[in-house]
Amino acid sequence: MAAPHQRLEFLTEDHPQTKNHRRKLKDFSDASRKMRLSLNIGSVLIGFLLWYFITLIPSINTFLASPKQVYAALISESAANGRYFKDISISLQRILIGFGLAFIASIPVAFLMGWYPRVRSIVEPWIQFFRTIPPIALIPLVILAMGLGEPPKYTIIFVAAFLVMVVTIYQGIKEVDKTLIKAAYTMGASDRDIFWDIMIPASFPFILVGARLGMAASLTTLIAAELTGTTFGLGARIQGAQQFMDTSIVLLGIITIGIIGFLLDKILLLIEKRLTRWK
């Protein structure tokens, strides 16, 4: 027996079934600036309130300082010969130097890996190998090689930021649309033209994303870097306060590192938006 004939219906916008099942398209755009600011402020206030109420629990306030105690620690640290601000400036210097050197080094290495297959085959195994090793594991070797001055701190931060950035930038180079490269070859473009006019502009957003990830890696490695022996710095202050079980100083240092990271990320995000308006 022949299969029954199936009638196909094409639904138009005026069709009643279409009107009943019409869905609003998901909006993935950012909210208004006023709305974002209000939500950010509300989120921060809720976080501080939760922190305050948690510290009211007797079994918790023995090891977790309250917002009031952390504020008192901020006042005392600021008044004690400007120790707080000196720690910030020294740690910020270490972060920026380590990150800056890593950023300068990661770009040519990533482009060499993406442009030359032989270089990629030689370098990529080492990049992947060292990525799996926590920077803190390198501290004993770095101290033996460089001593207890500033160079080992820059080195630890450099390694952490470099590995993150070189992988991110390299992935961006790999994702360049091959159709553009083939079209350029068809039009007689040289390798030099393709590199400067296609590869660099197409991978530029990934360079900026890599910079943000590298900055985050620098901040998360700061305390490990300051394990190499130092008196001043946020990481050193946190470690010293931990020995005396002074959780207010520990939390003050943690919050300060978080604020610095937040501000630096916002600066890099602003630079990214300004430099990639053509996207």
Side-chain angles (χ1 to χ4, degrees), residues 204-205 208 270-279:
F204 189 68
L208 297 175
L270 178 63
I271 294 173
E272 178 184 347
K273 288 182 177 180
R274 292 289 179 88
L275 297 180
T276 57
R277 289 179 175 177
W278 51 269
K279 289 175 59 180

Side-chain angles (χ1 to χ4, degrees), residues 125-147:
W126 291 104
I127 296 292
Q128 299 300 335
F129 172 76
F130 282 106
R131 276 185 62 199
T132 61
I133 301 175
I136 194 172
L138 302 176
I139 289 177
L141 292 176
V142 173
I143 291 177
L144 290 173
M146 300 182 177

Side-chain angles (χ1 to χ4, degrees), residues 72-85:
L74 170 62
I75 299 300
S76 63
E77 287 289 297
S78 302
N81 299 322
R83 169 68 191 263
Y84 177 66
F85 297 105

Side-chain angles (χ1 to χ4, degrees), residues 127-198:
I127 296 292
Q128 299 300 335
F129 172 76
F130 282 106
R131 276 185 62 199
T132 61
I133 301 175
I136 194 172
L138 302 176
I139 289 177
L141 292 176
V142 173
I143 291 177
L144 290 173
M146 300 182 177
L148 297 176
E150 291 298 307
K153 299 169 182 57
Y154 303 148
T155 301
I156 297 296
I157 295 174
F158 169 86
V159 170
F162 171 80
L163 294 173
V164 170
M165 287 191 286
V166 74
V167 171
T168 305
I169 298 171
Y170 165 63
Q171 286 298 127
I173 296 169
K174 284 183 63 178
E175 295 298 325
V176 172
D177 191 355
K178 302 301 185 294
T179 304
L180 297 175
I181 298 175
K182 293 177 181 178
Y185 271 124
T186 302
M187 298 178 67
S190 63
D191 287 349
R192 180 188 179 93
D193 295 329
I194 291 173
F195 181 80
W196 287 104
D197 297 334
I198 296 178

